[in-house]
């Protein structure tokens, strides 16, 4: 089986290795306008310098009300695309592939940043309209902003927003588009019976609840070049054993639907549909079994990535060598060590000429 530093070809796009930087919200837009800042440039660019094969930008809102916080990144206009072109060009110049996660926060929108308490923001506090499959708000301890149930025609507008955002992302220079269907945000809210009790064509049966994410994936695929891959992030499970909810078996079934819709890889995370929808333990590889289940039970040729608790080179190598996933997706470890990729290659004996920028060679001269 391939190792962590073997390439991965998806359609006509080659990832130089199988180490992906997970999309991690930075909450660092300065003027609440969704435009990228120097912080985003340095954050993404440094991980490309640091040896990642695929650098995925954070959950980037496809419309203003799709932001988790007012400080979230957006991709709903030409101006937003232009603010990211220097960053994608730099990522490519370092040999990495730039990707972007297209997202809509749904009922988890309009709140303050995590270090400011993640408190709901009312419209008079700088908040904005919140939309969801139903009028049931996220169960904050404080009063939630009013939540609007999207009617059937308005759901079509959400699909259009994702399509338009994908076009802007392409103009910005991104090579991989990932649809965010996890963590209790809008597309996951439609998938899960916990948050979707609609009685139209977007609610009820599995096929109806999966309709929106299928339509969004098809819309992104329509405008994304044939040679470039589309990913979808899923919550593999809602982590509820005692109620009707989203399960890993449904995730495997959905993976085949997404493959037919044009997706090339599912990025399997978990949880987030409600405050208590998380596992009791979240240590090394705690979500790997979910990705492995999808990989084994999906009937299509869709590829699978795993994320969560990957903190060492040996761990990532073992996941891939044992055929448990096709891509190792690393988040927090890349925050602790922006050069985790180079250090991992060094540890595994895979460090080669050209991987380290000339400016940094003196730091590795004894290893080459």
């Amino acid at each position: 089986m391939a190792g962590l530093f073997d390439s991965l070809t998806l359609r006509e796009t080659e990832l130089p290795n199988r180490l992906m930087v997970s999309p991690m919200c930075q909450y660092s837009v300065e003027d609440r306008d969704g435009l990228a800042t120097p912080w985003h440039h340095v954050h993404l660019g440094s991980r490309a310098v640091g040896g990642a094969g695929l650098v995925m930008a954070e959950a980037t809102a496809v419309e203003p009300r799709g932001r988790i916080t007012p400080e979230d990144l957006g991709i709903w206009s030409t101006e937003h695309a232009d603010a990211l072109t220097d960053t994608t060009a730099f990522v490519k110049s370092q040999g990495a592939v730039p990707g972007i996660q297209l997202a809509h926060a749904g009922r988890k929108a309009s709140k303050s940043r995590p270090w400011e308490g993640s408190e709901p923001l009312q419209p008079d506090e700088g908040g904005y309209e919140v939309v969801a499959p139903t009028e049931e708000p996220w169960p904050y301890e404080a009063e939630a902003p009013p939540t609007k149930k999207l009617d059937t025609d308005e759901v079509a507008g959400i699909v259009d927003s994702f399509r338009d955002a994908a076009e802007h992302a392409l103009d910005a220079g991104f090579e991989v588009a990932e649809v965010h269907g996890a963590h209790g945000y809008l597309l996951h809210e439609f998938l899960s019976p916990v948050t979707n009790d609609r009685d139209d064509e977007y609610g009820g049966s599995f096929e109806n609840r999966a309709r929106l994410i299928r339509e969004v994936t098809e819309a992104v695929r329509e405008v994304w070049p044939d040679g470039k891959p589309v990913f979808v992030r899923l919550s593999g499970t809602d982590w509820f054993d005692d109620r009707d909810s989203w399960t890993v078996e449904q995730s495997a079934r959905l993976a085949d639907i997404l493959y037919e819709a044009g997706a090339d890889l599912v990025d399997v995370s978990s949880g987030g549909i409600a405050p208590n929808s998380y596992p009791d333990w979240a240590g090394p590889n705690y979500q790997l079994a979910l990705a492995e289940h999808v990989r084994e039970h999906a009937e299509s040729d869709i590829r699978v990535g795993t994320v969560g608790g990957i903190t060492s080179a040996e761990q990532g190598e073992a996941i891939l060598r044992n055929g448990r996933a096709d891509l190792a997706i690393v988040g927090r470890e890349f925050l602790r060590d922006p050069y985790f990729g180079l250090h991992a290659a060094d540890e595994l004996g895979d460090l080669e000429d050209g991987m380290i920028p000339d400016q940094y060679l003196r730091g590795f001269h004894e290893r080459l």
Side-chain angles (χ1 to χ4, degrees), residues 1-153:
M1 304 298 290
L4 193 60
F5 287 92
D6 288 319
S7 64
L8 174 63
T9 299
L10 299 168
R11 295 183 179 254
E12 298 171 12
T13 300
E14 182 178 356
L15 308 184
N17 59 56
R18 296 172 183 241
L19 183 59
M20 168 180 148
V21 177
S22 188
M24 293 177 284
C25 289
Q26 299 298 292
Y27 309 106
S28 295
V29 167
E30 294 172 352
D31 295 321
R32 297 189 166 192
D33 53 11
L35 296 175
T37 70
W39 179 273
H40 300 95
H41 183 78
V42 172
H43 167 68
L44 298 171
S46 64
R47 275 73 194 172
V49 171
L54 172 58
V55 179
M56 187 70 69
E58 66 190 74
T60 306
V62 300
E63 62 173 18
R65 62 185 180 176
R67 295 169 295 166
I68 305 166
T69 78
E71 292 80 18
D72 281 16
L73 204 59
I75 189 69
W76 60 78
S77 76
T78 300
E79 188 179 10
H80 291 89
D82 291 345
L84 286 160
T85 54
D86 287 347
T87 299
T88 58
F90 181 80
V91 169
K92 293 177 195 178
S93 77
Q94 300 307 302
V97 174
I100 186 169
Q101 187 181 68
L102 305 175
H104 195 298
R107 71 176 192 159
K108 296 176 80 172
S110 192
K111 62 183 179 181
S112 62
R113 295 182 287 192
W115 55 85
E116 295 168 342
S118 293
E119 297 293 333
L121 295 176
Q122 302 297 332
D124 61 356
E125 299 171 323
Y128 34 90
E129 183 179 53
V130 175
V131 298
T134 73
E135 294 179 349
E136 184 69 24
W138 178 263
Y140 294 105
E141 292 184 6
E143 181 183 359
T147 301
K148 172 182 171 55
K149 177 181 177 179
L150 291 165
D151 65 31
T152 305
D153 291 339

Side-chain angles (χ1 to χ4, degrees), residues 42-266:
V42 172
H43 167 68
L44 298 171
S46 64
R47 275 73 194 172
V49 171
L54 172 58
V55 179
M56 187 70 69
E58 66 190 74
T60 306
V62 300
E63 62 173 18
R65 62 185 180 176
R67 295 169 295 166
I68 305 166
T69 78
E71 292 80 18
D72 281 16
L73 204 59
I75 189 69
W76 60 78
S77 76
T78 300
E79 188 179 10
H80 291 89
D82 291 345
L84 286 160
T85 54
D86 287 347
T87 299
T88 58
F90 181 80
V91 169
K92 293 177 195 178
S93 77
Q94 300 307 302
V97 174
I100 186 169
Q101 187 181 68
L102 305 175
H104 195 298
R107 71 176 192 159
K108 296 176 80 172
S110 192
K111 62 183 179 181
S112 62
R113 295 182 287 192
W115 55 85
E116 295 168 342
S118 293
E119 297 293 333
L121 295 176
Q122 302 297 332
D124 61 356
E125 299 171 323
Y128 34 90
E129 183 179 53
V130 175
V131 298
T134 73
E135 294 179 349
E136 184 69 24
W138 178 263
Y140 294 105
E141 292 184 6
E143 181 183 359
T147 301
K148 172 182 171 55
K149 177 181 177 179
L150 291 165
D151 65 31
T152 305
D153 291 339
E154 289 172 324
V155 174
I158 296 294
V159 177
D160 291 340
S161 293
F162 274 91
R163 180 188 292 106
D164 293 345
E167 290 185 310
H168 293 308
L170 186 63
D171 290 342
F174 289 100
E175 302 285 335
V176 178
E178 177 169 272
V179 173
H180 196 351
H183 301 164
Y185 299 119
L186 185 65
L187 301 185
H188 184 195
E189 292 165 17
F190 272 84
L191 285 173
S192 177
V194 174
T195 46
N196 185 350
D197 62 1
R198 298 171 67 99
D199 58 7
D200 64 359
E201 59 263 47
Y202 292 97
S205 68
F206 169 85
E207 290 79 9
N208 282 358
R209 287 182 283 110
R211 189 183 305 275
L212 178 56
I213 196 168
R214 174 179 60 78
E215 291 180 345
V216 165
T217 303
E218 289 172 343
V220 172
R221 182 77 270 170
E222 284 173 11
V223 299
W224 208 247
D226 288 342
K228 300 182 188 297
V230 171
F231 292 6
V232 181
R233 173 164 276 194
L234 297 176
S235 278
T237 179
D238 285 340
W239 294 110
F240 290 127
D241 296 326
D242 59 348
R243 61 186 295 187
D244 191 16
S245 63
W246 187 254
T247 66
V248 69
E249 290 80 14
Q250 292 177 84
S251 291
R253 185 178 172 189
L254 177 62
D256 289 331
I257 293 172
L258 296 173
Y259 182 78
E260 290 300 317
D264 302 285
L265 181 144
V266 286

